[in-house]
Amino acid sequence: DIWSFGCTVIEMATAEKPWGSLAFGNMAFALNFIATSEDTPPVPDSVPPACRDLIAECTRRSQYLRPGTAELLRHEFVLPSKGTARRARAA
């Protein structure tokens, strides 16, 4: 789902679990916290702004406010940069 994708992007960008490696003592506490709180996983300031925006969109608490896959494919972080597109056409 979209929430899990956002958490995966956090892991890829930080090489850490979405809530931090020491955030939860056990799985039951983690599940309860995530299900009952209004918090979203923290994203370090070192993550590029477009990536931070993608993560924020994916980890909105309400599933109804999260983008769908088609919308995510149009996100600036997912779209190839102009330089990348030119190199791909030249290859």
Side-chain angles (χ1 to χ4, degrees):
D1 69 343
I2 302 300
W3 175 275
S4 297
F5 175 70
C7 290
T8 299
V9 174
I10 293 171
E11 288 185 70
M12 290 170 32
T14 65
E16 293 283 337
K17 295 177 182 175
W19 295 90
S21 59
L22 302 175
F24 303 111
N26 64 57
M27 185 65 70
F29 181 75
L31 292 172
N32 183 59
F33 178 82
I34 294 168
T36 61
S37 80
E38 291 298 315
D39 294 347
T40 59
V43 182
D45 292 335
S46 60
V47 173
C51 185
R52 291 176 59 80
D53 183 67
L54 177 79
I55 293 168
E57 292 288 321
C58 292
T59 57
R60 290 182 181 196
R61 292 305 302 184
S62 171
Q63 67 183 10
Y64 304 107
L65 297 177
R66 293 181 210 141
T69 53
E71 188 176 343
L72 286 177
L73 289 173
R74 294 186 301 270
H75 191 278
E76 69 174 310
F77 185 73
V78 176
L79 291 173
S81 67
K82 291 178 182 169
T84 303
R86 277 188 229 121
R87 284 192 301 272
R89 283 194 302 267

